[in-house]
Amino acid sequence: MDAVPADDTALLVDFYRTMLLVRRFEEKVGQMYGMGLIGGFCHLYIGQEAVVVGMDAAIRADDAVITSYRCHAHALVRGVPPAAIMAELTGRGTGISKGKGGSMHMFDIARGFYGGHGIVGAQVPLGAGIAFAQKYQKRDNVTLVFFGEGAANQGQVYETFNMASLWSLPAIFVIENNQYAMGTAIGRAKAGTELCHRGEAFGIRGIQVDGMDVVAVHEASRELVARVRDGEGPMLVEMQTYRYRGHSMSDPVKYRTRDEVQKVRERQDPIEQLRVRLIEGGAVDDAALKAIDRDVKKTVAEAAEHAQTSPEPDISELMTDIMLDAAGRNA
Amino acid sequence: MVEMTVRQALRDAMAEEMRRDERVFLIGEEVAEYQGAYKVSQGLLEEFGAGRVIDTPITEHGFAGLAIGAAMAGLRPINEFMTFNFAMQAMDQIINSAAKTLYMSGGKVECPIVLRGPNGAAARVAAQHSQDFASWFGHVPGLKVIAPWSATDAKGLLKAAVRDPNPVIFLENEILYGASFDVSDVDVVLEIGKATIERSGRDVTIVGYSITVSRALEAASMLAEDGVEAEVINLRTIRPLDVTTIVASLARTNRLVVVEEGWSFAGVGAEVIAAVCDGGFDHLDAPPARVSAADAPLPYAASLEQAALPRADQIVRAVRDVCYV
Ligand SMILES: Cc1ncc(C[n+]2csc(CCOP(=O)(O)OP(=O)(O)O)c2C)c(N)n1
Ligand SMILES: [Mg+2]
């Protein structure tokens, strides 16, 4: 697989735009949560943007993605309209799940996005099932199965590795190692080898990638995707990343120092790294990036406006989407 | 009319549905080469090949999750649990993923899967291998729960379950696998959610499901000798519950006994009686009664096991109580 040409400015600018969209979107979500417009558990993706953006650009529109509750960004990059995600967060009828799923449960199968799952690790066998269906139907698709380094301690992950390898499923298991599972730093929960080696007992090759560098993420992903699409069987990638905010909006973050967060922000921020790369390489000028900033802000502002002005779900929605009749309509 | 065992009926139902629809496949432990731990999938590997009849490792949480994911992605899995006792390891995937995702996705993600296998007590296999889970699954909106008794039930309801767009729990019974029944229409596809009257009678309604229908019919024969005519309803489906058929029967008999193999606390019997109180209270001439398993883990010793499970003589006793005779 070829490396991304350093002069593929269009692609890099696209990464910049999408990462910024995720960041500004999540910042807005945080604000709106603070204002009481969003309720419940709400997990922001700020800091981890390069992972999802670099990986999504390596798959096709008809491939599949599944992840945990930290899912706003995964939905955004798959092309779910920001307004539909934001309206889901405010619990409105125009939300992507009609306001019935909330922050943790967003789905858009037409765009290959299978959610949005609240039980730590549960999306891993589900994702292998999607890959199983792709193979069963003899399609040349792949499934990206995202989960946290905390989820990597769940038994069902290893049950899945075993089956995925046994049946050579077209799945790429992506451990988003953001160093913490709620308040538990990785060192307090993980025994043995690096996470990227945890598939090896099942014959699943694993690599570790700097998940703060969108170009590194993308290059590694292109190779993984090509090999898995080619029928080599499942692979594992550990993305070394970091979340800047608390685990969820209710987390006071007492388990790490501000200094630790500050250092990552200063030295490794995925958006800033790419900005410097673009400017210093002379690919684009500051004005062009500022225009993107304005554009993204406008998109987010419109999504927020839509999410606050859309009507609440009709009360009749309480009892729909529970059972289908034989024709696939609400029973 | 053909005579057929429940085992054959289940096998034929799966084979016919797999012939009809390429998306249907069977997955579970020992379903392929071993032909099923209870030989329910006899011959399926030979006919459909290893791509559609899939032996799994012993990994219930994992393979149920995988099958549920495959259903969300457009396939129609039949997931066999060697017995439902082992489905407890997969409970999270069944409840949180299969049952709730249609709702949480605002109708976007469907999950047409059948989760089937033997449920309830077998013979002398003790507490961990002998539990009726009908009320556990019946509790959950988003699941259909079927508990067939006869070969007709098994055939007609399993075919309906495979065609159903919702997740369906299909609770079989190991002791009934070898039981033979006359099947009048081998092509039958039964409607899920409809009970059937296995024996008509005017004095009392006995409601059962799965193997307790056999017990209820035994009791009805014993009662007939004493001139008490019992009507026996086979629920066939636990959820949605066919309250209409039960209440219509009650309107004729005015007395009700519910028989279940599960424990009584928060059980199927409790639910049937609550539903009858809502929809048919005026028909009741006596407080309804339940015959359930003893409120203890199922013991191994033959004598204790027999004492723990619902028996015909207990049903007769309960009928006499509600009939005041
Ligand atoms: C089975 C289960 N156990 C516990 C929880 C509560 N919980 C939610 S997120 C979380 C931490 C998961 O951390 P990680 O997998 O690293 O993902 P991250 O949140 O860092 O993205 C916990 C313990 C849960 N939702 N599900
Ligand atoms: Mg984590």
Side-chain angles (χ1 to χ4, degrees), chain A residues 145-197:
Chain A
V145 185
F146 290 91
F147 53 103
E149 89 294 336
N153 294 318
Q154 281 282 19
Q156 60 184 320
V157 170
Y158 300 94
E159 297 191 27
T160 303
F161 283 179
N162 188 45
M163 289 183 291
S165 182
L166 196 61
W167 299 332
S168 196
L169 301 182
I172 298 168
F173 298 105
V174 187
I175 301 179
E176 295 200 61
N177 180 0
N178 62 8
Q179 317 302 327
Y180 292 91
M182 279 184 73
T184 303
I186 178 159
R188 295 203 298 123
K190 177 190 74 83
T193 64
E194 297 285 299
L195 294 178
C196 62
H197 299 309

Short mmCIF file of all heavy atoms in Angstrom, two decimals, chain A residues 145-197:
data_model
loop_
_atom_site.label_atom_id
_atom_site.label_comp_id
_atom_site.label_asym_id
_atom_site.label_seq_id
_atom_site.Cartn_x
_atom_site.Cartn_y
_atom_site.Cartn_z
N VAL A 145 -14.31 -2.25 14.19
CA VAL A 145 -14.91 -2.50 15.49
C VAL A 145 -14.11 -1.73 16.54
O VAL A 145 -13.01 -2.14 16.93
CB VAL A 145 -14.90 -4.01 15.81
CG1 VAL A 145 -15.64 -4.28 17.12
CG2 VAL A 145 -15.50 -4.83 14.68
N PHE A 146 -14.65 -0.61 16.98
CA PHE A 146 -13.94 0.25 17.93
C PHE A 146 -14.29 -0.11 19.37
O PHE A 146 -15.46 -0.35 19.68
CB PHE A 146 -14.35 1.72 17.71
CG PHE A 146 -13.84 2.33 16.43
CD1 PHE A 146 -14.60 2.29 15.26
CD2 PHE A 146 -12.62 2.98 16.40
CE1 PHE A 146 -14.14 2.87 14.09
CE2 PHE A 146 -12.15 3.58 15.23
CZ PHE A 146 -12.91 3.52 14.07
N PHE A 147 -13.31 -0.12 20.25
CA PHE A 147 -13.59 -0.24 21.68
C PHE A 147 -12.44 0.35 22.49
O PHE A 147 -11.33 0.54 21.98
CB PHE A 147 -13.87 -1.68 22.10
CG PHE A 147 -12.82 -2.70 21.69
CD1 PHE A 147 -11.92 -3.20 22.64
CD2 PHE A 147 -12.77 -3.19 20.40
CE1 PHE A 147 -10.97 -4.15 22.27
CE2 PHE A 147 -11.82 -4.15 20.03
CZ PHE A 147 -10.91 -4.62 20.97
N GLY A 148 -12.70 0.66 23.74
CA GLY A 148 -11.71 1.30 24.58
C GLY A 148 -10.71 0.32 25.16
O GLY A 148 -10.92 -0.90 25.12
N GLU A 149 -9.63 0.85 25.73
CA GLU A 149 -8.65 -0.04 26.35
C GLU A 149 -9.24 -0.67 27.62
O GLU A 149 -8.82 -1.74 28.03
CB GLU A 149 -7.33 0.71 26.63
CG GLU A 149 -7.21 1.41 27.96
CD GLU A 149 -8.19 2.56 28.13
OE1 GLU A 149 -8.64 3.12 27.13
OE2 GLU A 149 -8.51 2.90 29.29
N GLY A 150 -10.24 -0.02 28.19
CA GLY A 150 -10.93 -0.63 29.33
C GLY A 150 -11.76 -1.82 28.88
O GLY A 150 -11.74 -2.88 29.50
N ALA A 151 -12.45 -1.64 27.78
CA ALA A 151 -13.27 -2.73 27.22
C ALA A 151 -12.41 -3.92 26.84
O ALA A 151 -12.88 -5.06 26.80
CB ALA A 151 -14.04 -2.24 26.00
N ALA A 152 -11.13 -3.66 26.58
CA ALA A 152 -10.24 -4.74 26.16
C ALA A 152 -10.03 -5.77 27.27
O ALA A 152 -9.41 -6.80 27.04
CB ALA A 152 -8.89 -4.17 25.72
N ASN A 153 -10.56 -5.52 28.45
CA ASN A 153 -10.48 -6.52 29.52
C ASN A 153 -11.74 -7.37 29.63
O ASN A 153 -11.84 -8.21 30.52
CB ASN A 153 -10.18 -5.85 30.86
CG ASN A 153 -8.80 -5.22 30.85
OD1 ASN A 153 -7.85 -5.82 30.34
ND2 ASN A 153 -8.68 -4.01 31.36
N GLN A 154 -12.70 -7.14 28.75
CA GLN A 154 -13.93 -7.92 28.80
C GLN A 154 -13.72 -9.29 28.13
O GLN A 154 -13.14 -9.37 27.05
CB GLN A 154 -15.06 -7.19 28.05
CG GLN A 154 -15.69 -6.06 28.84
CD GLN A 154 -16.68 -6.56 29.88
OE1 GLN A 154 -16.66 -7.73 30.27
NE2 GLN A 154 -17.53 -5.67 30.36
N GLY A 155 -14.28 -10.31 28.76
CA GLY A 155 -14.14 -11.66 28.21
C GLY A 155 -14.68 -11.80 26.80
O GLY A 155 -14.12 -12.51 25.97
N GLN A 156 -15.79 -11.13 26.51
CA GLN A 156 -16.40 -11.32 25.19
C GLN A 156 -15.50 -10.83 24.06
O GLN A 156 -15.64 -11.27 22.92
CB GLN A 156 -17.79 -10.70 25.11
CG GLN A 156 -17.86 -9.22 25.36
CD GLN A 156 -19.33 -8.74 25.34
OE1 GLN A 156 -20.13 -9.19 24.54
NE2 GLN A 156 -19.69 -7.86 26.25
N VAL A 157 -14.56 -9.95 24.38
CA VAL A 157 -13.61 -9.50 23.36
C VAL A 157 -12.77 -10.69 22.88
O VAL A 157 -12.56 -10.89 21.68
CB VAL A 157 -12.71 -8.38 23.92
CG1 VAL A 157 -11.56 -8.07 22.96
CG2 VAL A 157 -13.54 -7.12 24.19
N TYR A 158 -12.35 -11.53 23.82
CA TYR A 158 -11.49 -12.66 23.46
C TYR A 158 -12.29 -13.81 22.87
O TYR A 158 -11.79 -14.54 22.01
CB TYR A 158 -10.64 -13.06 24.68
CG TYR A 158 -9.83 -11.83 25.03
CD1 TYR A 158 -10.29 -10.93 25.99
CD2 TYR A 158 -8.72 -11.49 24.26
CE1 TYR A 158 -9.63 -9.73 26.20
CE2 TYR A 158 -8.07 -10.30 24.46
CZ TYR A 158 -8.52 -9.41 25.44
OH TYR A 158 -7.89 -8.22 25.61
N GLU A 159 -13.54 -13.96 23.30
CA GLU A 159 -14.42 -14.92 22.63
C GLU A 159 -14.53 -14.53 21.16
O GLU A 159 -14.53 -15.37 20.26
CB GLU A 159 -15.81 -14.91 23.28
CG GLU A 159 -15.80 -15.36 24.75
CD GLU A 159 -17.20 -15.61 25.30
OE1 GLU A 159 -18.11 -15.95 24.53
OE2 GLU A 159 -17.38 -15.46 26.53
N THR A 160 -14.63 -13.22 20.93
CA THR A 160 -14.78 -12.72 19.56
C THR A 160 -13.50 -12.87 18.75
O THR A 160 -13.54 -13.28 17.59
CB THR A 160 -15.21 -11.24 19.60
OG1 THR A 160 -16.42 -11.14 20.35
CG2 THR A 160 -15.44 -10.71 18.20
N PHE A 161 -12.36 -12.56 19.36
CA PHE A 161 -11.08 -12.73 18.65
C PHE A 161 -10.97 -14.17 18.15
O PHE A 161 -10.59 -14.44 17.01
CB PHE A 161 -9.90 -12.44 19.57
CG PHE A 161 -9.64 -10.97 19.82
CD1 PHE A 161 -8.60 -10.57 20.66
CD2 PHE A 161 -10.41 -9.99 19.21
CE1 PHE A 161 -8.34 -9.22 20.89
CE2 PHE A 161 -10.17 -8.64 19.44
CZ PHE A 161 -9.12 -8.25 20.28
N ASN A 162 -11.33 -15.10 19.02
CA ASN A 162 -11.21 -16.51 18.67
C ASN A 162 -12.06 -16.85 17.45
O ASN A 162 -11.58 -17.43 16.48
CB ASN A 162 -11.61 -17.35 19.89
CG ASN A 162 -11.34 -18.82 19.69
OD1 ASN A 162 -10.27 -19.21 19.21
ND2 ASN A 162 -12.30 -19.65 20.05
N MET A 163 -13.33 -16.45 17.50
CA MET A 163 -14.23 -16.78 16.38
C MET A 163 -13.83 -16.03 15.11
O MET A 163 -13.86 -16.59 14.02
CB MET A 163 -15.68 -16.43 16.75
CG MET A 163 -16.28 -17.36 17.77
SD MET A 163 -18.02 -16.97 18.11
CE MET A 163 -17.85 -15.40 18.94
N ALA A 164 -13.48 -14.75 15.27
CA ALA A 164 -13.15 -13.94 14.09
C ALA A 164 -11.95 -14.52 13.36
O ALA A 164 -11.91 -14.56 12.13
CB ALA A 164 -12.88 -12.50 14.51
N SER A 165 -10.99 -15.02 14.13
CA SER A 165 -9.80 -15.60 13.51
C SER A 165 -10.11 -16.97 12.92
O SER A 165 -9.76 -17.27 11.79
CB SER A 165 -8.69 -15.69 14.56
OG SER A 165 -7.52 -16.21 13.97
N LEU A 166 -10.85 -17.76 13.69
CA LEU A 166 -11.24 -19.11 13.25
C LEU A 166 -11.95 -19.04 11.90
O LEU A 166 -11.73 -19.86 11.02
CB LEU A 166 -12.17 -19.69 14.31
CG LEU A 166 -12.47 -21.17 14.37
CD1 LEU A 166 -11.20 -21.97 14.59
CD2 LEU A 166 -13.47 -21.44 15.50
N TRP A 167 -12.83 -18.05 11.75
CA TRP A 167 -13.66 -17.95 10.55
C TRP A 167 -13.15 -16.89 9.58
O TRP A 167 -13.83 -16.55 8.62
CB TRP A 167 -15.12 -17.67 10.95
CG TRP A 167 -15.69 -18.76 11.82
CD1 TRP A 167 -15.33 -20.08 11.81
CD2 TRP A 167 -16.71 -18.63 12.83
NE1 TRP A 167 -16.07 -20.78 12.75
CE2 TRP A 167 -16.93 -19.92 13.39
CE3 TRP A 167 -17.46 -17.57 13.32
CZ2 TRP A 167 -17.85 -20.15 14.40
CZ3 TRP A 167 -18.39 -17.80 14.32
CH2 TRP A 167 -18.58 -19.08 14.86
N SER A 168 -11.98 -16.35 9.89
CA SER A 168 -11.34 -15.39 9.01
C SER A 168 -12.28 -14.24 8.59
O SER A 168 -12.47 -13.96 7.42
CB SER A 168 -10.82 -16.13 7.76
OG SER A 168 -9.90 -15.31 7.09
N LEU A 169 -12.86 -13.60 9.58
CA LEU A 169 -13.84 -12.54 9.31
C LEU A 169 -13.14 -11.22 8.94
O LEU A 169 -12.06 -10.92 9.46
CB LEU A 169 -14.72 -12.32 10.55
CG LEU A 169 -15.50 -13.55 11.02
CD1 LEU A 169 -16.37 -13.19 12.23
CD2 LEU A 169 -16.36 -14.12 9.89
N PRO A 170 -13.77 -10.45 8.07
CA PRO A 170 -13.16 -9.18 7.64
C PRO A 170 -13.37 -8.06 8.66
O PRO A 170 -14.01 -7.06 8.37
CB PRO A 170 -13.88 -8.89 6.32
CG PRO A 170 -15.23 -9.51 6.48
CD PRO A 170 -15.02 -10.73 7.33
N ALA A 171 -12.83 -8.26 9.86
CA ALA A 171 -13.01 -7.27 10.93
C ALA A 171 -11.67 -6.66 11.29
O ALA A 171 -10.65 -7.35 11.32
CB ALA A 171 -13.61 -7.94 12.16
N ILE A 172 -11.68 -5.36 11.53
CA ILE A 172 -10.50 -4.69 12.09
C ILE A 172 -10.88 -4.23 13.49
O ILE A 172 -11.80 -3.42 13.67
CB ILE A 172 -10.07 -3.50 11.21
CG1 ILE A 172 -9.68 -4.02 9.82
CG2 ILE A 172 -8.91 -2.75 11.86
CD1 ILE A 172 -9.50 -2.95 8.79
N PHE A 173 -10.22 -4.79 14.47
CA PHE A 173 -10.49 -4.44 15.86
C PHE A 173 -9.61 -3.25 16.23
O PHE A 173 -8.38 -3.31 16.09
CB PHE A 173 -10.20 -5.63 16.78
CG PHE A 173 -11.08 -6.81 16.47
CD1 PHE A 173 -10.60 -7.93 15.80
CD2 PHE A 173 -12.42 -6.80 16.83
CE1 PHE A 173 -11.42 -9.01 15.50
CE2 PHE A 173 -13.27 -7.88 16.55
CZ PHE A 173 -12.76 -8.99 15.88
N VAL A 174 -10.26 -2.18 16.66
CA VAL A 174 -9.53 -0.95 16.94
C VAL A 174 -9.65 -0.63 18.44
O VAL A 174 -10.73 -0.29 18.92
CB VAL A 174 -10.13 0.24 16.16
CG1 VAL A 174 -9.25 1.47 16.34
CG2 VAL A 174 -10.31 -0.11 14.69
N ILE A 175 -8.55 -0.78 19.14
CA ILE A 175 -8.56 -0.40 20.56
C ILE A 175 -8.20 1.08 20.63
O ILE A 175 -7.10 1.48 20.27
CB ILE A 175 -7.55 -1.22 21.37
CG1 ILE A 175 -7.88 -2.72 21.27
CG2 ILE A 175 -7.56 -0.76 22.84
CD1 ILE A 175 -6.91 -3.62 22.02
N GLU A 176 -9.15 1.88 21.06
CA GLU A 176 -8.86 3.30 21.25
C GLU A 176 -8.31 3.44 22.68
O GLU A 176 -9.07 3.56 23.63
CB GLU A 176 -10.11 4.16 21.06
CG GLU A 176 -10.64 4.11 19.64
CD GLU A 176 -11.56 5.28 19.31
OE1 GLU A 176 -11.11 6.44 19.37
OE2 GLU A 176 -12.74 5.03 19.01
N ASN A 177 -7.00 3.37 22.78
CA ASN A 177 -6.37 3.43 24.10
C ASN A 177 -6.17 4.90 24.49
O ASN A 177 -5.15 5.50 24.18
CB ASN A 177 -5.04 2.69 24.09
CG ASN A 177 -4.34 2.74 25.45
OD1 ASN A 177 -4.87 3.33 26.40
ND2 ASN A 177 -3.18 2.12 25.53
N ASN A 178 -7.20 5.42 25.20
CA ASN A 178 -7.10 6.82 25.63
C ASN A 178 -6.56 6.91 27.06
O ASN A 178 -6.71 7.91 27.73
CB ASN A 178 -8.45 7.53 25.48
CG ASN A 178 -9.53 6.89 26.34
OD1 ASN A 178 -9.26 6.02 27.16
ND2 ASN A 178 -10.77 7.32 26.16
N GLN A 179 -5.96 5.82 27.49
CA GLN A 179 -5.20 5.74 28.76
C GLN A 179 -6.06 5.57 30.01
O GLN A 179 -5.56 5.23 31.07
CB GLN A 179 -4.25 6.94 28.96
CG GLN A 179 -3.46 7.35 27.73
CD GLN A 179 -2.60 6.23 27.15
OE1 GLN A 179 -2.08 5.38 27.88
NE2 GLN A 179 -2.46 6.20 25.83
N TYR A 180 -7.36 5.84 29.89
CA TYR A 180 -8.22 5.75 31.08
C TYR A 180 -9.53 5.05 30.74
O TYR A 180 -10.10 5.25 29.67
CB TYR A 180 -8.56 7.14 31.63
CG TYR A 180 -7.36 7.84 32.21
CD1 TYR A 180 -6.57 8.66 31.42
CD2 TYR A 180 -7.00 7.66 33.54
CE1 TYR A 180 -5.44 9.28 31.93
CE2 TYR A 180 -5.88 8.28 34.07
CZ TYR A 180 -5.10 9.09 33.25
OH TYR A 180 -4.00 9.70 33.77
N ALA A 181 -9.99 4.26 31.70
CA ALA A 181 -11.35 3.72 31.67
C ALA A 181 -12.04 4.33 32.88
O ALA A 181 -11.71 3.98 34.01
CB ALA A 181 -11.33 2.20 31.75
N MET A 182 -12.90 5.29 32.66
CA MET A 182 -13.40 6.14 33.74
C MET A 182 -12.21 6.68 34.52
O MET A 182 -11.39 7.40 33.97
CB MET A 182 -14.39 5.41 34.64
CG MET A 182 -15.78 5.37 34.05
SD MET A 182 -17.03 4.61 35.10
CE MET A 182 -17.24 5.87 36.35
N GLY A 183 -12.08 6.29 35.79
CA GLY A 183 -10.97 6.81 36.60
C GLY A 183 -9.78 5.87 36.70
O GLY A 183 -8.85 6.12 37.46
N THR A 184 -9.84 4.78 35.94
CA THR A 184 -8.79 3.77 36.08
C THR A 184 -7.74 3.93 34.98
O THR A 184 -8.01 3.68 33.80
CB THR A 184 -9.40 2.36 36.03
OG1 THR A 184 -10.38 2.26 37.07
CG2 THR A 184 -8.32 1.30 36.26
N ALA A 185 -6.54 4.34 35.38
CA ALA A 185 -5.45 4.46 34.41
C ALA A 185 -5.09 3.05 33.94
O ALA A 185 -5.19 2.08 34.70
CB ALA A 185 -4.24 5.12 35.06
N ILE A 186 -4.67 2.94 32.71
CA ILE A 186 -4.46 1.63 32.09
C ILE A 186 -3.57 0.71 32.94
O ILE A 186 -3.85 -0.48 33.08
CB ILE A 186 -3.94 1.77 30.65
CG1 ILE A 186 -3.69 0.38 30.06
CG2 ILE A 186 -2.71 2.65 30.54
CD1 ILE A 186 -3.67 0.31 28.59
N GLY A 187 -2.54 1.27 33.55
CA GLY A 187 -1.62 0.46 34.33
C GLY A 187 -2.26 -0.22 35.53
O GLY A 187 -1.75 -1.22 36.03
N ARG A 188 -3.39 0.32 35.97
CA ARG A 188 -4.06 -0.29 37.12
C ARG A 188 -5.03 -1.39 36.70
O ARG A 188 -5.63 -2.04 37.56
CB ARG A 188 -4.82 0.78 37.90
CG ARG A 188 -3.89 1.82 38.53
CD ARG A 188 -4.54 2.51 39.72
NE ARG A 188 -5.73 3.26 39.34
CZ ARG A 188 -6.95 3.07 39.85
NH1 ARG A 188 -7.15 2.13 40.75
NH2 ARG A 188 -7.95 3.81 39.46
N ALA A 189 -5.20 -1.59 35.41
CA ALA A 189 -6.19 -2.57 34.96
C ALA A 189 -5.63 -3.65 34.04
O ALA A 189 -6.25 -4.68 33.86
CB ALA A 189 -7.35 -1.86 34.25
N LYS A 190 -4.48 -3.40 33.47
CA LYS A 190 -3.97 -4.31 32.44
C LYS A 190 -2.76 -5.10 32.95
O LYS A 190 -1.80 -4.51 33.41
CB LYS A 190 -3.55 -3.51 31.20
CG LYS A 190 -2.93 -4.34 30.09
CD LYS A 190 -2.32 -3.47 29.01
CE LYS A 190 -1.04 -2.81 29.42
NZ LYS A 190 0.16 -3.64 29.28
N ALA A 191 -2.82 -6.42 32.84
CA ALA A 191 -1.65 -7.25 33.12
C ALA A 191 -1.07 -7.71 31.79
O ALA A 191 -1.75 -7.68 30.77
CB ALA A 191 -2.05 -8.45 33.97
N GLY A 192 0.16 -8.12 31.83
CA GLY A 192 0.74 -8.75 30.64
C GLY A 192 1.17 -7.78 29.57
O GLY A 192 1.53 -6.65 29.84
N THR A 193 1.07 -8.25 28.34
CA THR A 193 1.67 -7.54 27.20
C THR A 193 0.92 -6.26 26.84
O THR A 193 -0.15 -5.97 27.36
CB THR A 193 1.64 -8.42 25.94
OG1 THR A 193 0.26 -8.65 25.61
CG2 THR A 193 2.34 -9.74 26.15
N GLU A 194 1.49 -5.55 25.91
CA GLU A 194 0.82 -4.40 25.31
C GLU A 194 -0.50 -4.87 24.70
O GLU A 194 -0.60 -6.00 24.20
CB GLU A 194 1.68 -3.83 24.18
CG GLU A 194 3.03 -3.30 24.60
CD GLU A 194 2.89 -1.97 25.31
OE1 GLU A 194 2.40 -1.01 24.68
OE2 GLU A 194 3.27 -1.90 26.50
N LEU A 195 -1.47 -3.96 24.67
CA LEU A 195 -2.79 -4.34 24.15
C LEU A 195 -2.72 -4.79 22.68
O LEU A 195 -3.49 -5.67 22.27
CB LEU A 195 -3.76 -3.16 24.28
CG LEU A 195 -4.09 -2.76 25.71
CD1 LEU A 195 -5.02 -1.55 25.69
CD2 LEU A 195 -4.72 -3.91 26.48
N CYS A 196 -1.81 -4.22 21.94
CA CYS A 196 -1.76 -4.57 20.51
C CYS A 196 -1.38 -6.03 20.30
O CYS A 196 -1.61 -6.58 19.23
CB CYS A 196 -0.81 -3.63 19.75
SG CYS A 196 0.88 -3.74 20.32
N HIS A 197 -0.82 -6.66 21.33
CA HIS A 197 -0.44 -8.08 21.20
C HIS A 197 -1.53 -9.02 21.70
O HIS A 197 -1.36 -10.23 21.68
CB HIS A 197 0.84 -8.36 21.96
CG HIS A 197 2.01 -7.55 21.47
ND1 HIS A 197 2.35 -7.51 20.14
CD2 HIS A 197 2.89 -6.74 22.12
CE1 HIS A 197 3.40 -6.71 19.99
NE2 HIS A 197 3.73 -6.23 21.17
#
